[in-house]
Amino acid sequence: MTISEAQLPTAAPPRDYGTGIARLVIFTAPVLVVLSAYLAHGQQPGSSAILVVALVPSLSAGTAFRPDSHFAVTLMALLVLIWLALVSDDLTPWTLVAALSLLSLHTAVAFATIAAPDALRCAATTRRWLRRYVVLAVLTASVWLLARGVHELGPSHSVALTLPAFAIVGTVLWVVRERSLPRTGRC
């Protein structure tokens, strides 16, 4: 008796790791940037600012579905302009929230454009991009803390603190880059 093809076990369909999450981040990160800008601003925005902010959801949607288009660059430029127009204190904690949100947006857009929109991303690729994001998020927070420290210490101590910090950041970035480059046999 032969076994028909219908009785053979079928392989699980391939899984996509990260495309849906990248789209979710592309939708939510701009909202966090705008929200942190308004919270750092501390006042109710004028009607012209509300009109500009109304563009953010439409640009986010365009970026989520066409990350390789000009929507992403336009969205990031608009978010930076909103921040610059509203926030005068660069060392507010909302600066860190906005910076990490912009980093999340940039990473999600870059991740979404490494392959065709309907292509599957394997787990190794997703892990590599998550590692890169975590390292950059830690470095972003470290630079923000360094800026706060330099501000508190004053200009006389800033060089002694900044130069070693840049050397450490440069070394960490180089090591992470070397370790995150794809090797043969990986997707």
Side-chain angles (χ1 to χ4, degrees):
M1 180 174 215
T2 62
I3 300 175
S4 68
E5 285 186 30
Q7 295 173 334
L8 292 176
T10 58
R15 284 190 64 188
D16 184 16
Y17 293 88
T19 303
I21 293 172
R23 284 193 174 145
L24 181 65
V25 169
I26 291 170
F27 274 120
T28 58
V31 173
L32 288 174
V33 174
V34 172
L35 182 62
S36 61
Y38 282 131
L39 290 171
H41 181 59
Q43 295 180 4
Q44 195 72 341
S47 60
S48 61
I50 291 175
L51 181 63
V52 172
V53 170
L55 292 172
V56 172
S58 60
L59 287 172
S60 296
T63 302
F65 292 106
R66 293 290 313 262
D68 57 345
S69 68
H70 294 294
F71 287 124
V73 175
T74 306
L75 175 62
M76 286 186 233
L78 179 63
L79 292 172
V80 169
L81 288 174
I82 289 170
W83 180 266
L84 291 174
L86 293 177
V87 181
S88 59
D89 180 14
D90 295 333
L91 298 177
T92 177
W94 295 113
T95 303
L96 184 59
V97 174
L100 291 175
S101 298
L102 278 173
L103 174 64
S104 301
L105 175 63
H106 184 274
T107 304
V109 168
F111 177 77
T113 59
I114 60 172
D118 56 345
L120 301 177
R121 279 114 178 125
C122 68
T125 300
T126 304
R127 281 193 303 272
R128 185 169 43 250
W129 278 84
L130 283 173
R131 266 194 319 270
R132 290 174 179 172
Y133 171 78
V134 168
V135 168
L136 288 175
V138 167
L139 289 174
T140 300
S142 300
V143 168
W144 180 79
L145 286 171
L146 174 68
R148 293 285 302 230
V150 166
H151 179 72
E152 295 296 323
L153 288 176
S156 63
H157 295 88
S158 64
V159 173
L161 186 62
T162 304
L163 289 178
F166 280 148
I168 291 169
V169 166
T171 304
V172 168
L173 282 174
W174 180 76
V175 168
V176 168
R177 181 180 178 279
E178 289 299 314
R179 294 192 67 196
S180 69
L181 290 175
R183 290 164 182 75
T184 56
R186 298 168 86 186
C187 61

Coordinates of all heavy atoms in Angstrom, one line a residue, residues 80-134:
V80 N 11.5 66.4 12.7 CA 12.6 67.2 13.2 C 12.2 68.7 13.2 O 12.5 69.4 14.1 CB 13.9 67.0 12.3 CG1 15.0 68.0 12.7 CG2 14.4 65.6 12.6
L81 N 11.5 69.2 12.1 CA 11.1 70.5 12.1 C 10.1 70.8 13.2 O 10.1 71.9 13.8 CB 10.5 70.9 10.7 CG 11.5 71.0 9.6 CD1 10.8 71.2 8.2 CD2 12.5 72.1 9.8
I82 N 9.2 69.9 13.4 CA 8.2 70.1 14.5 C 9.0 70.2 15.8 O 8.7 71.1 16.7 CB 7.2 69.0 14.6 CG1 6.2 69.0 13.4 CG2 6.4 68.9 15.9 CD1 5.4 67.8 13.2
W83 N 9.9 69.4 16.1 CA 10.7 69.4 17.3 C 11.5 70.8 17.4 O 11.4 71.4 18.5 CB 11.7 68.3 17.3 CG 12.5 68.3 18.6 CD1 13.8 68.8 18.8 CD2 12.1 67.8 19.9 NE1 14.2 68.7 20.1 CE2 13.2 68.0 20.8 CE3 11.0 67.1 20.3 CZ2 13.1 67.7 22.1 CZ3 11.0 66.7 21.7 CH2 12.0 67.0 22.5
L84 N 12.1 71.2 16.4 CA 12.9 72.4 16.4 C 12.0 73.6 16.6 O 12.4 74.6 17.2 CB 13.7 72.5 15.1 CG 14.9 71.6 14.9 CD1 15.5 71.7 13.6 CD2 15.9 71.7 16.1
A85 N 10.8 73.6 16.0 CA 9.9 74.7 16.2 C 9.3 74.8 17.6 O 9.0 75.9 18.0 CB 8.8 74.6 15.1
L86 N 9.2 73.7 18.3 CA 8.5 73.7 19.5 C 9.4 73.7 20.8 O 9.0 74.3 21.8 CB 7.5 72.5 19.6 CG 6.3 72.6 18.7 CD1 5.5 71.3 18.9 CD2 5.4 73.8 18.9
V87 N 10.5 73.1 20.7 CA 11.3 72.8 21.9 C 12.5 73.7 21.9 O 13.3 73.8 20.9 CB 11.7 71.3 21.9 CG1 12.5 71.0 23.2 CG2 10.5 70.4 21.9
S88 N 12.7 74.4 23.0 CA 13.9 75.2 23.2 C 14.9 74.7 24.1 O 16.1 75.0 24.1 CB 13.4 76.6 23.7 OG 12.8 76.5 24.9
D89 N 14.5 73.7 25.0 CA 15.4 73.1 25.9 C 15.9 71.7 25.4 O 15.1 70.8 25.3 CB 14.8 72.9 27.3 CG 15.7 72.3 28.3 OD1 16.9 72.2 28.1 OD2 15.1 71.8 29.4
D90 N 17.1 71.6 24.9 CA 17.6 70.4 24.3 C 17.9 69.3 25.3 O 18.0 68.1 24.9 CB 18.9 70.7 23.6 CG 18.7 71.6 22.4 OD1 17.6 71.6 21.9 OD2 19.7 72.3 22.0
L91 N 18.0 69.6 26.6 CA 18.3 68.6 27.6 C 17.1 68.1 28.4 O 17.3 67.4 29.4 CB 19.4 69.2 28.6 CG 20.7 69.6 27.9 CD1 21.6 70.2 28.9 CD2 21.3 68.4 27.3
T92 N 15.9 68.4 27.9 CA 14.7 67.9 28.6 C 14.7 66.4 28.4 O 15.2 65.9 27.4 CB 13.5 68.6 28.0 OG1 12.3 68.0 28.6 CG2 13.4 68.4 26.5
P93 N 14.1 65.6 29.4 CA 14.0 64.2 29.2 C 13.2 63.8 27.9 O 13.4 62.7 27.4 CB 13.3 63.7 30.5 CG 13.6 64.8 31.5 CD 13.7 66.1 30.7
W94 N 12.3 64.7 27.5 CA 11.6 64.4 26.3 C 12.4 64.4 25.0 O 12.1 63.8 24.0 CB 10.4 65.5 26.1 CG 9.4 65.4 27.2 CD1 9.2 66.3 28.2 CD2 8.6 64.3 27.5 NE1 8.2 65.9 29.0 CE2 7.8 64.6 28.6 CE3 8.4 63.1 26.9 CZ2 6.9 63.8 29.2 CZ3 7.4 62.2 27.4 CH2 6.7 62.6 28.6
T95 N 13.6 65.0 25.1 CA 14.6 64.9 24.0 C 15.0 63.4 23.8 O 15.1 63.0 22.7 CB 15.8 65.7 24.3 OG1 15.4 67.1 24.5 CG2 16.8 65.7 23.2
L96 N 15.2 62.7 24.9 CA 15.6 61.3 24.8 C 14.5 60.5 24.2 O 14.7 59.6 23.4 CB 16.0 60.8 26.2 CG 16.5 59.4 26.2 CD1 17.7 59.2 25.3 CD2 16.9 59.0 27.7
V97 N 13.3 60.8 24.7 CA 12.1 60.0 24.1 C 12.0 60.3 22.6 O 11.8 59.3 21.8 CB 10.8 60.5 24.8 CG1 9.6 59.8 24.2 CG2 10.8 60.1 26.3
A98 N 12.1 61.5 22.2 CA 12.0 61.9 20.8 C 13.2 61.2 20.0 O 13.0 60.7 18.9 CB 12.0 63.4 20.6
A99 N 14.4 61.3 20.5 CA 15.6 60.7 19.9 C 15.4 59.2 19.7 O 15.7 58.6 18.6 CB 16.8 61.0 20.6
L100 N 14.9 58.5 20.7 CA 14.7 57.0 20.6 C 13.6 56.7 19.7 O 13.6 55.7 19.0 CB 14.5 56.4 22.0 CG 15.7 56.4 22.9 CD1 15.4 55.9 24.3 CD2 16.9 55.6 22.4
S101 N 12.6 57.6 19.6 CA 11.5 57.3 18.7 C 11.9 57.5 17.3 O 11.5 56.7 16.4 CB 10.3 58.3 19.0 OG 9.8 58.0 20.3
L102 N 12.7 58.5 17.0 CA 13.3 58.7 15.7 C 14.2 57.6 15.3 O 14.2 57.1 14.1 CB 14.0 60.1 15.6 CG 13.2 61.3 15.3 CD1 14.0 62.6 15.4 CD2 12.5 61.2 14.0
L103 N 15.0 57.1 16.2 CA 15.8 55.9 16.0 C 15.0 54.7 15.7 O 15.3 54.0 14.7 CB 16.7 55.7 17.2 CG 17.6 54.4 17.1 CD1 18.6 54.5 16.0 CD2 18.3 54.1 18.4
S104 N 13.9 54.5 16.4 CA 13.0 53.4 16.1 C 12.4 53.5 14.7 O 12.3 52.5 14.0 CB 11.9 53.4 17.1 OG 12.4 53.2 18.4
L105 N 12.0 54.7 14.4 CA 11.4 55.0 13.0 C 12.4 54.7 12.0 O 12.2 53.9 11.0 CB 10.9 56.4 12.9 CG 10.4 56.8 11.6 CD1 9.2 56.0 11.2 CD2 10.0 58.3 11.6
H106 N 13.6 55.2 12.1 CA 14.7 55.0 11.1 C 15.0 53.5 11.0 O 15.2 53.0 9.9 CB 15.9 55.8 11.5 CG 17.0 55.8 10.4 ND1 17.9 54.8 10.4 CD2 17.2 56.6 9.4 CE1 18.7 55.0 9.4 NE2 18.3 56.1 8.8
T107 N 15.2 52.9 12.1 CA 15.5 51.4 12.0 C 14.4 50.6 11.4 O 14.7 49.7 10.6 CB 15.8 50.9 13.5 OG1 16.8 51.7 14.1 CG2 16.2 49.5 13.5
A108 N 13.2 50.9 11.7 CA 12.1 50.2 11.2 C 12.0 50.4 9.7 O 11.7 49.5 8.9 CB 10.7 50.6 11.8
V109 N 12.2 51.6 9.2 CA 12.1 51.9 7.8 C 13.3 51.2 7.1 O 13.1 50.6 6.0 CB 12.1 53.4 7.5 CG1 12.4 53.8 6.1 CG2 10.8 54.1 8.0
A110 N 14.5 51.3 7.6 CA 15.6 50.6 7.0 C 15.4 49.1 7.0 O 15.7 48.5 6.0 CB 16.9 51.0 7.8
F111 N 14.9 48.5 8.1 CA 14.6 47.1 8.1 C 13.6 46.7 7.0 O 13.7 45.7 6.4 CB 14.1 46.7 9.5 CG 13.7 45.2 9.6 CD1 14.7 44.3 9.7 CD2 12.4 44.8 9.6 CE1 14.4 42.9 9.8 CE2 12.1 43.5 9.7 CZ 13.1 42.5 9.8
A112 N 12.6 47.6 6.9 CA 11.5 47.3 5.9 C 12.0 47.3 4.5 O 11.4 46.8 3.6 CB 10.3 48.2 6.1
T113 N 13.1 48.1 4.2 CA 13.6 48.2 2.9 C 14.7 47.3 2.5 O 15.2 47.4 1.4 CB 14.0 49.7 2.6 OG1 15.1 50.0 3.5 CG2 12.9 50.6 2.8
I114 N 15.1 46.4 3.4 CA 16.2 45.5 3.0 C 15.8 44.4 2.0 O 16.7 43.8 1.5 CB 16.9 44.9 4.3 CG1 15.9 44.0 5.0 CG2 17.5 45.9 5.1 CD1 16.5 43.2 6.2
A115 N 14.5 44.3 1.8 CA 14.0 43.3 0.9 C 12.7 43.8 0.3 O 12.2 44.8 0.7 CB 13.8 41.9 1.6
A116 N 12.2 43.1 -0.7 CA 11.0 43.5 -1.3 C 9.9 43.5 -0.3 O 9.9 42.7 0.7 CB 10.6 42.5 -2.4
P117 N 8.8 44.3 -0.4 CA 7.8 44.4 0.6 C 7.1 43.1 0.9 O 6.7 42.8 2.1 CB 6.7 45.3 -0.1 CG 7.5 46.1 -1.0 CD 8.6 45.2 -1.5
D118 N 7.0 42.1 0.0 CA 6.3 40.9 0.3 C 7.3 39.8 0.6 O 6.9 38.6 0.8 CB 5.4 40.4 -0.9 CG 6.2 40.4 -2.2 OD1 7.3 40.9 -2.3 OD2 5.7 39.8 -3.1
A119 N 8.6 40.1 0.7 CA 9.6 39.1 1.0 C 9.6 38.8 2.5 O 9.2 39.6 3.3 CB 11.0 39.6 0.6
L120 N 10.0 37.5 2.8 CA 10.1 37.1 4.2 C 11.4 37.4 4.8 O 12.5 37.2 4.1 CB 9.8 35.6 4.3 CG 8.4 35.1 3.8 CD1 8.3 33.6 3.9 CD2 7.3 35.8 4.5
R121 N 11.5 37.9 6.0 CA 12.7 38.2 6.7 C 12.9 37.1 7.7 O 12.1 36.7 8.5 CB 12.7 39.5 7.4 CG 13.0 40.7 6.5 CD 11.7 41.5 6.4 NE 11.9 42.7 5.6 CZ 11.1 43.0 4.6 NH1 10.2 42.2 4.2 NH2 11.3 44.1 3.9
C122 N 14.1 36.5 7.7 CA 14.4 35.3 8.5 C 14.7 35.8 10.0 O 15.0 37.0 10.2 CB 15.5 34.5 8.0 SG 17.1 35.3 8.0
A123 N 14.7 34.9 10.9 CA 14.9 35.2 12.3 C 16.3 35.8 12.5 O 16.5 36.7 13.3 CB 14.7 34.0 13.2
A124 N 17.4 35.3 11.8 CA 18.7 35.8 12.0 C 18.8 37.2 11.6 O 19.5 38.0 12.2 CB 19.7 34.9 11.2
T125 N 18.2 37.6 10.5 CA 18.2 39.0 10.0 C 17.5 39.9 11.0 O 18.0 41.0 11.4 CB 17.5 39.1 8.7 OG1 18.3 38.3 7.7 CG2 17.5 40.6 8.2
T126 N 16.4 39.5 11.5 CA 15.7 40.3 12.5 C 16.5 40.4 13.8 O 16.5 41.5 14.4 CB 14.3 39.6 12.8 OG1 13.6 39.5 11.6 CG2 13.5 40.5 13.7
R127 N 17.1 39.4 14.3 CA 17.9 39.5 15.5 C 19.1 40.4 15.3 O 19.4 41.2 16.1 CB 18.4 38.1 15.9 CG 17.4 37.3 16.6 CD 18.1 36.1 17.3 NE 18.8 35.2 16.3 CZ 18.3 34.2 15.6 NH1 17.0 33.9 15.8 NH2 19.0 33.5 14.8
R128 N 19.7 40.4 14.1 CA 20.8 41.3 13.8 C 20.3 42.7 13.8 O 21.0 43.6 14.4 CB 21.4 40.9 12.4 CG 22.6 41.7 12.1 CD 23.4 41.2 10.8 NE 22.5 40.9 9.7 CZ 22.3 39.6 9.3 NH1 22.9 38.6 9.9 NH2 21.6 39.4 8.3
W129 N 19.2 43.0 13.3 CA 18.7 44.4 13.3 C 18.3 44.8 14.7 O 18.4 46.0 15.1 CB 17.5 44.6 12.3 CG 18.0 44.8 10.9 CD1 18.4 43.8 10.0 CD2 18.2 46.0 10.3 NE1 18.8 44.4 8.9 CE2 18.7 45.7 9.0 CE3 18.0 47.3 10.6 CZ2 19.1 46.7 8.1 CZ3 18.4 48.3 9.7 CH2 18.9 48.0 8.5
L130 N 17.7 43.9 15.5 CA 17.4 44.3 16.9 C 18.6 44.5 17.7 O 18.6 45.5 18.5 CB 16.6 43.1 17.5 CG 15.1 43.1 17.1 CD1 14.5 41.8 17.6 CD2 14.4 44.3 17.5
R131 N 19.7 43.8 17.5 CA 20.9 44.0 18.2 C 21.5 45.4 17.8 O 21.9 46.2 18.7 CB 22.0 43.0 17.8 CG 22.1 41.8 18.7 CD 23.4 41.0 18.5 NE 23.7 40.8 17.1 CZ 23.3 39.7 16.4 NH1 22.5 38.8 16.9 NH2 23.7 39.6 15.1
R132 N 21.4 45.7 16.5 CA 21.9 47.1 16.1 C 21.1 48.2 16.8 O 21.6 49.2 17.2 CB 21.8 47.2 14.6 CG 22.8 46.3 13.9 CD 22.6 46.4 12.4 NE 23.6 45.6 11.7 CZ 23.5 45.3 10.4 NH1 22.5 45.8 9.7 NH2 24.4 44.6 9.8
Y133 N 19.8 48.0 16.8 CA 18.9 49.0 17.4 C 19.2 49.1 18.9 O 19.3 50.3 19.4 CB 17.4 48.6 17.2 CG 16.5 49.5 18.1 CD1 16.2 50.8 17.6 CD2 16.0 49.1 19.3 CE1 15.5 51.6 18.4 CE2 15.3 50.0 20.0 CZ 15.0 51.2 19.6 OH 14.2 52.1 20.3
V134 N 19.4 48.0 19.6 CA 19.6 48.1 21.1 C 21.0 48.8 21.3 O 21.0 49.7 22.2 CB 19.6 46.7 21.7 CG1 20.2 46.7 23.1 CG2 18.2 46.2 21.7

